[in-house]
Amino acid sequence: MERFMDRRKRRDCKQISERFRNLLEAGRLKIKHAFINAENIESLFDEANAPAEPDLLSIDIDYNDYHVWQAITKYKPRVVIIEYNSIFRPDTHFVVKYNPKRMWDKTSHFGTSLLALEQLGNQKGYCLVGCVFTGSNAFFVREDLVGDLFESPYSAENHYEPNRDYLYYKAGHPKNHIPD
């Protein structure tokens, strides 16, 4: 499985390199193929000469998302989008035990609850301002930028969205025309 994932990621990097060649050549985009964990995230940013305050950070690594965000201390993005596990209701605090080599095994045991992310965000100076309707990603904005632009309270209770993966995936038989 790990070899398959590595091949797939290399293929994805190649496609990105081709599609965004002009941005890469202009130095406006950098691509790096690496397995991300809490120990290496900041060094990866350092190698890429990432700005100290990037506009946007998206964390969607399907298992250790919470731990990776927790490990980011030198960088203060304005907005963070991070995956949460919506199987856990908004009043549940859950974080998977950290394992730097662990990947998602396609079960419901992954990541973190929205409440745990809300609490981590508060510790790091961020407000939870919303979630996608499908219940997979949460949006955090740095406290100094929130103003009166978002709906409060900035809590899991207020912004939680349940899992709606069925909106992405179609069950049943694919549509087809009636043969002659």
Side-chain angles (χ1 to χ4, degrees):
M1 176 67 166
E2 194 169 323
R3 245 187 275 148
F4 167 76
M5 293 299 291
D6 192 51
R7 270 188 276 131
R8 193 176 109 204
K9 289 177 181 162
R10 287 189 191 283
R11 182 199 71 215
D12 292 347
C13 285
K14 183 179 179 205
Q15 289 175 342
I16 291 168
S17 295
E18 291 168 1
R19 183 170 185 187
F20 298 102
R21 178 174 290 132
N22 59 336
L23 295 173
L24 289 161
E25 289 173 355
R28 294 182 60 210
L29 178 67
K30 294 181 183 180
I31 186 169
K32 174 137 179 112
H33 178 236
F35 190 87
I36 296 170
N37 57 44
E39 291 78 26
N40 73 3
I41 186 62
E42 287 202 330
S43 65
L44 292 171
F45 287 164
D46 292 344
E47 289 172 24
N49 295 317
E53 295 187 8
D55 291 327
L56 178 68
L57 172 64
S58 177
I59 303 172
D60 186 345
I61 55 176
D62 296 334
Y63 196 83
N64 287 314
D65 306 65
Y66 177 96
H67 303 286
V68 166
W69 190 23
Q70 185 178 44
I72 298 170
T73 59
K74 287 178 20 182
Y75 296 89
K76 305 289 183 207
R78 290 170 179 82
V79 176
V80 175
I81 304 169
I82 187 167
E83 182 179 41
Y84 70 99
N85 187 337
S86 58
I87 197 168
F88 298 102
R89 303 297 301 170
D91 60 350
T92 304
H93 185 280
F94 171 81
V95 179
V96 292
K97 183 178 175 185
Y98 181 63
N99 179 338
K101 296 181 181 184
R102 184 76 190 261
M103 295 186 334
W104 182 46
D105 62 3
K106 301 196 187 265
T107 69
S108 61
H109 183 77
F110 72 94
T112 184
S113 66
L114 187 59
L115 178 60
L117 286 174
E118 173 199 341
Q119 293 168 348
L120 177 61
N122 289 340
Q123 291 170 12
K124 294 176 80 58
Y126 288 83
C127 295
L128 171 62
V129 299
C131 293
V132 296
F133 183 70
T134 54
S136 57
N137 290 300
F139 296 83
F140 290 83
V141 173
R142 231 175 39 206
E143 286 175 346
D144 62 312
L145 302 172
V146 169
D148 62 353
L149 301 173
F150 301 95
E151 183 181 338
S152 64
Y154 308 118
S155 66
E157 191 68 39
N158 187 43
H159 290 295
Y160 172 81
E161 293 290 344
N163 183 283
R164 295 185 181 100
D165 280 341
Y166 60 86
L167 294 174
Y168 283 128
Y169 307 104
K170 295 185 182 206
H173 302 289
K175 293 179 180 170
N176 197 352
H177 69 280
I178 299 172
D180 292 335

